[in-house]
Amino acid sequence: LIMAYTTINKSSDYFNTKIWTGTGSSGHAITGVGFQPDLLWIKARTNTSYHHLFDAVRGVDKVIYSNATDAEATGSEITSFNSDGFTLGNNSGATNSSSNNFVGWNWKANGAGVANTQGDIASTVSASTTSGFSTVSYTGTGSLATVGHGLGVAPAMIIIKNRNTANGWEVYHQGIGNTKYLALHISNAAIASTSRWDNISPTSTLFTVNTEPGVNKSSSNHIAYCFAEKKGYSKFGKYEGNNSVDGPFIYTGFKPAFVMFKRYDSTSNWTMLDTKRSPYNLMINELYANHPNAEGQAGRNIDCLSNGIKIRSSSDEINATSGKYIYM
């Protein structure tokens, strides 16, 4: 019996980080991504501004904000997704203000998406089964239901936003299980709830949403970003802190290009680090998914190694004594 497995030989074919300096002028093309982005997450580094998230399923002119509950807005911060990147519009502060610095995290899925009827709720899904990432758009029913995600394996992390109303961001992570949720837009600890996932874990085809308006409000449009583990490319897990600069080692089996941490047993920020903003160890240039703050160096330091991450900070946000953390 011969079995074939899809292998990612070049991880930057599916995820890449770009940094740039704004011009303040529309038509500023960001190239060198290596693919057409299907999820683009932008944050201003040198000025205070909301995180801006765009994807190919909702359309290039639709934006949502990871640090806020705001409904989806229509704008011209991004004017096109291109074969090797994207083009910026003329936006003050958020994506292209003159002389300010920005970062954009890019994920590849499969374009604008196709119809998926595997769940109780029909969805539009843009999925890369190779990299384990999909963007899922669906309309809520207000009742317990399943939604197809298109990955072929169970997602390890799902991030959901109600597009039409001012509801929070709801996060499922396998590290905390199906009886709790985290909220991307705030620093709260994990909260027990059946109204998000109904205590049901995602399967290889479906994820479950219950009655919470943030995941399944009747007649509201929702967007879900689904991430599955792929050997040599992505890892989603948990660890316990020791409050030492000789902190835990997190084995991933590859050198991470992007990391996000969240303490789930207490209040903490969603700390974001990457190897473009911090190309050498220690990685120290941090942003927070739940804050509009400019980039800082508050001591959430890590070493990014060939096979994982070494925590080099005693900060409560990533390494408190007996603190419980999830990572992406």
Side-chain angles (χ1 to χ4, degrees):
L1 175 65
I2 298 175
M3 299 183 70
Y5 296 91
T6 302
T7 301
I8 297 176
N9 294 317
K10 187 179 177 184
S11 60
S12 59
D13 286 344
Y14 295 91
F15 173 83
N16 207 348
T17 302
K18 291 296 295 183
I19 54 177
W20 66 91
T21 300
T23 63
S25 300
S26 186
H28 182 192
I30 305 301
T31 60
V33 172
F35 53 85
Q36 179 173 306
D38 293 312
L39 169 60
L40 170 59
W41 182 332
I42 294 178
K43 178 66 183 76
R45 301 173 60 194
T46 46
N47 58 293
T48 299
S49 179
Y50 277 14
H51 292 251
H52 280 50
L53 281 75
F54 309 86
D55 62 69
V57 173
R58 292 181 299 121
V60 71
D61 62 335
K62 305 299 182 184
V63 59
I64 44 179
Y65 316 103
S66 70
N67 57 284
T69 62
D70 301 33
E72 177 182 87
T74 300
S76 57
E77 293 94 341
I78 305 296
T79 57
S80 65
F81 294 127
N82 308 323
S83 61
D84 189 34
F86 50 93
T87 300
L88 300 167
N90 182 6
N91 180 262
S92 59
T95 60
N96 193 29
S97 53
S98 179
S99 301
N100 280 314
N101 296 329
F102 301 87
V103 59
W105 301 290
N106 301 264
W107 285 264
K108 179 178 174 59
N110 193 27
V114 297
N116 182 302
T117 58
Q118 291 181 306
D120 301 320
I121 300 174
S123 57
T124 299
V125 176
S126 175
S128 168
T129 56
T130 301
S131 67
F133 169 65
S134 68
T135 298
V136 181
S137 176
Y138 63 95
T139 301
T141 63
S143 302
L144 178 65
T146 56
V147 183
H149 56 70
L151 291 178
V153 294
M157 186 172 182
I158 305 173
I159 304 171
I160 301 179
K161 179 70 178 76
N162 184 324
R163 299 167 56 186
N164 298 135
T165 61
N167 288 102
W169 290 76
E170 315 286 348
V171 180
Y172 164 84
H173 193 286
Q174 65 182 10
I176 60 172
N178 60 32
T179 65
K180 298 180 180 180
Y181 75 97
L182 286 162
L184 185 67
H185 61 291
I186 52 178
S187 60
N188 291 20
I191 300 172
S193 170
T194 59
S195 65
R196 272 75 179 173
W197 327 120
D198 195 43
N199 299 355
I200 300 172
S201 297
T203 70
S204 61
T205 56
L206 306 169
F207 63 88
T208 299
V209 290
N210 206 348
T211 57
E212 163 61 36
V215 300
N216 191 21
K217 183 177 175 63
S218 179
S219 302
S220 280
N221 295 321
H222 299 75
I223 197 75
Y225 302 122
C226 304
F227 302 86
E229 287 192 346
K230 290 293 180 176
K231 186 177 181 180
Y233 174 77
S234 60
K235 187 76 173 172
F236 304 82
K238 61 181 179 178
Y239 66 94
E240 183 172 309
N242 65 9
N243 193 234
S244 170
V245 293
D246 184 16
F249 171 71
I250 301 165
Y251 177 78
T252 61
F254 57 91
K255 183 176 182 178
F258 168 91
V259 187
M260 183 157 62
F261 298 100
K262 175 71 176 81
R263 185 174 182 180
Y264 65 85
D265 65 337
S266 182
T267 300
S268 78
N269 292 313
W270 293 81
T271 300
M272 308 172 79
L273 300 161
D274 64 70
T275 55
K276 292 292 178 69
R277 294 180 298 120
S278 294
Y280 308 105
N281 292 326
L282 295 167
M283 292 175 66
I284 59 176
N285 293 317
E286 61 203 46
L287 290 162
Y288 306 123
N290 57 299
H291 269 302
N293 300 16
E295 183 177 274
Q297 297 178 354
R300 284 67 157 162
N301 304 335
I302 67 171
D303 280 340
C304 185
L305 307 173
S306 62
N307 62 347
I309 300 158
K310 177 68 173 177
I311 306 296
R312 296 293 190 186
S313 169
S314 59
S315 166
D316 284 357
E317 300 239 326
I318 63 171
N319 194 22
T321 300
S322 300
K324 305 296 193 297
Y325 301 86
I326 54 99
Y327 64 86
M328 169 188 182

